[in-house]
Amino acid sequence: MSDIHQDISRVLISADEIQARIKVLGEEITVDYQNEDIVLVCILKGAFLFMADLCRHIRVPVNTEFMAISSYGHSTESSGVVRILKDLNESIAGRNVLIIEDIVDTGLTVSYLEQLLEARKPNSIRICTLSNKPQCHKTPVQIDYCGFILPQEFVVGFGLDYRDYYRNLPYIGVLKPEIYQK
Ligand code: IMP
């Protein structure tokens, strides 16, 4: 039987740590948006697990929207220019938008998305990411909520993929080097 856990050399953030941190983020968001409501914009595919868990810890009213994007270029490098595969269903004009991302690496994707959504005239726009690699940023990004700071390493799990696999790992980890040679 093939087992995806055997492809991992190191767990960086355990499933329990992820869940505990998501609960804290949900509580912070609840406090910050008192008497408001929020449109959570989940960036697919990577943020689907994070969004699912996070929204259950937010106690102010939320709408959930999904945007599917695919980056151009090589799978482990970002150009920041993204193709929209699925756009939002509803208008965000005059609303409080919270972008939910899996990871900010170069920062190019999220800043491109922020500009794109800003043009639709929301009341406010903030960024919430499960993870962030600050040493890799190529553009200044204002991140409002961040789960974890990661080292400058390619990681998988909890939504993060390699060639569209490993999203279903309940933790964040590093792949064994031989996996990249396949
Ligand atoms: P950016 O470099 O900040 O534009 O990140 C673009 C996208 O690259 C992210 O949304 C992820 O889908 C992907 N990505 C960046 N770093 C990693 C990683 O370590 N593992 C898996 N995907 C990553």
Side-chain angles (χ1 to χ4, degrees):
M1 191 192 78
S2 57
D3 181 347
I4 53 169
H5 295 276
Q6 288 174 352
D7 295 346
I8 301 299
S9 63
R10 210 154 34 95
V11 173
L12 288 183
I13 306 165
S14 71
D16 287 349
E17 285 175 280
I18 294 175
Q19 291 306 324
R21 184 73 186 121
I22 291 177
K23 183 168 186 284
V24 171
L25 288 176
E27 285 161 1
E28 279 178 25
I29 292 166
T30 300
V31 169
D32 292 353
Y33 287 89
Q34 278 302 313
N35 308 316
E36 313 261 11
D37 61 56
I38 322 173
V39 186
L40 300 177
V41 174
C42 175
I43 308 302
L44 297 172
K45 296 178 187 172
F48 78 109
L49 289 177
F50 179 40
M51 167 90 152
D53 287 345
L54 179 68
C55 70
R56 283 178 282 181
H57 291 291
I58 297 175
R59 298 205 309 276
V60 296
V62 302
N63 281 168
T64 50
E65 284 286 326
F66 298 85
M67 188 172 227
I69 60 165
S70 108
S71 9
Y72 290 106
H74 196 268
S75 61
T76 59
E77 273 170 32
S78 172
S79 64
V81 179
V82 298
R83 198 154 52 103
I84 296 177
L85 304 176
K86 187 217 165 289
D87 207 337
L88 305 179
N89 288 352
E90 301 293 334
S91 164
I92 53 167
R95 305 173 76 189
N96 299 308
V97 170
L98 186 56
I99 299 177
I100 311 294
E101 259 288 17
D102 54 354
I103 191 162
V104 177
D105 181 15
T106 62
L108 295 170
T109 303
V110 83
S111 50
Y112 177 87
L113 285 172
E114 193 178 24
Q115 278 175 37
L116 187 102
L117 297 180
E118 194 68 70
R120 300 181 189 182
K121 308 271 181 257
N123 178 52
S124 69
I125 185 157
R126 288 188 186 169
I127 296 170
C128 175
T129 184
L130 175 64
S131 62
N132 180 22
K133 295 180 188 169
Q135 319 91 304
C136 300
H137 290 191
K138 289 187 178 160
T139 186
V141 211
Q142 160 80 43
I143 296 173
D144 301 283
Y145 305 96
C146 171
F148 300 94
I149 300 291
L150 293 177
Q152 204 166 348
E153 229 174 330
F154 192 80
V155 294
V156 294
F158 210 83
L160 292 157
D161 73 304
Y162 173 62
R163 297 189 171 162
D164 224 11
Y165 288 104
Y166 303 105
R167 294 191 198 275
N168 53 327
L169 288 169
Y171 51 79
I172 294 177
V174 178
L175 282 173
K176 291 179 178 166
E178 58 265 34
I179 302 300
Y180 299 107
Q181 281 138 33
K182 279 186 185 167

